[in-house]
Amino acid sequence: MAEILDQMAKELFAGNAKAVAELTQKALDEGMSPQEILNQGLIKGMNEVGVKFKANEIYVPEVLIAARAMKAGMEILKPKLAETGVEPIAKMIIGTVKGDLHDIGKNLVAMMMEGAGFEVIDLGIDVPEEKFIAAAKEKGAQIVGMSALLTTTMVQMKENIRALEESGIRDKVKIMVGGAPITQKFADEIGADGYAPDAASAVDIAKSLLNLN
Ligand code: B1M
């Protein structure tokens, strides 16, 4: 039984979406629980992707291909997870800030977070502060993630944090920021709770912010 899951993790790491989908279905057919398939197959494979990506042993294209394979497995698993009432480890909303259209890095972060068991609500690009606030309230998110790639839009993060404070939900969420021009120093200056330089570290930071490590 465990062999299927090991194989699934390997195929996911290799970015073989078709094989991951087939193995996910096979594991379900053989009576494995959706939770077990998620944790020991899909998340295990994605964790390995995160480790290698952080160590510069694989790069963005490989991560994107692995993420697509993860998605293929998740499409089969998601309805079963819903049926069995398996809860995500936490909820995160994420978006690229107002005025900014870059989303490759943000999408990678979202995929890695999903791969780690978070429910991710992706608000897309060019997201105004009202949308971050409304989504955080409506979804009951524990983490608000913001991405910016331009020096002209990174300042919008500060505006968003101010707006979250004014809306009264600042203390109910952890705010995480990232993107090429963002630094730990900038994150501290604007009052964010966490900063991650890459998608794999984003998972570690998010977990530590929520004491899930
Ligand atoms: Co644009 N662009 N771009 N661009 N673009 C940059 C960012 C730029 C550095 C290129 C350059 O001049 N050398 C420059 C910014 C300069 C600056 O601000 N100092 C720039 C510019 C100027 C522009 C335009 C203004 C160009 C123009 O029209 N004159 C324009 C702006 C549009 C807008 O946003 N309003 C523009 C447009 C575009 C495209 C649409 C053509 C395209 C985006 C396509 C898309 O995203 N769908 C694009 C691209 C592709 C780039 C470059 C080439 C690549 C960005 C990228 O995807 N990197 C970029 C130059 C470069 O970086 N080499 C550039 C790969 C990605 C995986 O990395 O996004 O850093 P990154 O994400 C990483 C980490 O940062 C981190 O994890 C990710 C994965 O490890 N991370 C987080 C990201 N978000 C996070 C959130 C977190 C945690 C970690 O927590 C929530």
Side-chain angles (χ1 to χ4, degrees), residues 18-182:
K18 191 164 173 274
V20 171
E22 283 168 3
L23 287 163
T24 305
Q25 189 57 56
K26 195 171 170 209
L28 284 170
D29 293 345
E30 291 194 6
M32 287 185 204
S33 76
Q35 177 84 75
E36 192 183 0
I37 298 169
L38 179 67
N39 290 333
Q40 305 305 320
L42 301 179
I43 291 182
K44 192 173 164 201
M46 208 60 188
N47 279 345
E48 186 63 8
V49 172
V51 169
K52 300 279 187 208
F53 180 59
K54 237 160 101 179
N56 288 323
E57 288 176 33
I58 59 169
Y59 299 97
V60 170
E62 286 98 322
V63 179
L64 288 174
I65 293 167
R68 199 182 54 187
M70 168 102 194
K71 232 178 182 170
M74 280 307 285
E75 263 162 33
I76 294 167
L77 209 56
K78 250 184 189 163
K80 305 287 171 197
L81 284 167
E83 274 169 29
T84 49
V86 171
E87 292 292 325
I89 61 170
K91 275 189 203 172
M92 172 191 209
I93 59 165
I94 190 166
T96 303
V97 299
K98 188 160 76 185
D100 201 319
L101 307 178
H102 297 84
D103 68 355
I104 298 169
K106 184 261 300 164
N107 293 346
L108 269 179
V109 173
M111 301 271 194
M112 293 299 286
M113 298 294 295
E114 277 187 349
F118 284 76
E119 179 181 338
V120 178
I121 299 115
D122 187 346
L123 303 179
I125 52 173
D126 192 17
V127 180
E129 51 262 52
E130 314 85 71
K131 213 169 158 187
F132 277 108
I133 292 165
K137 279 185 181 167
E138 188 194 322
K139 306 288 180 186
Q142 290 99 326
I143 296 198
V144 175
M146 297 185 252
S147 182
L149 263 283
L150 300 171
T151 45
T152 48
T153 56
M154 58 194 273
V155 288
Q156 182 61 36
M157 290 176 164
K158 190 174 177 185
E159 285 306 307
N160 290 356
I161 293 176
R162 191 190 49 74
L164 282 160
E165 276 163 5
E166 278 175 9
S167 74
I169 60 160
R170 170 66 186 94
D171 296 338
K172 297 189 178 69
V173 295
K174 297 289 182 192
I175 298 174
M176 242 176 83
V177 293
I182 311 302

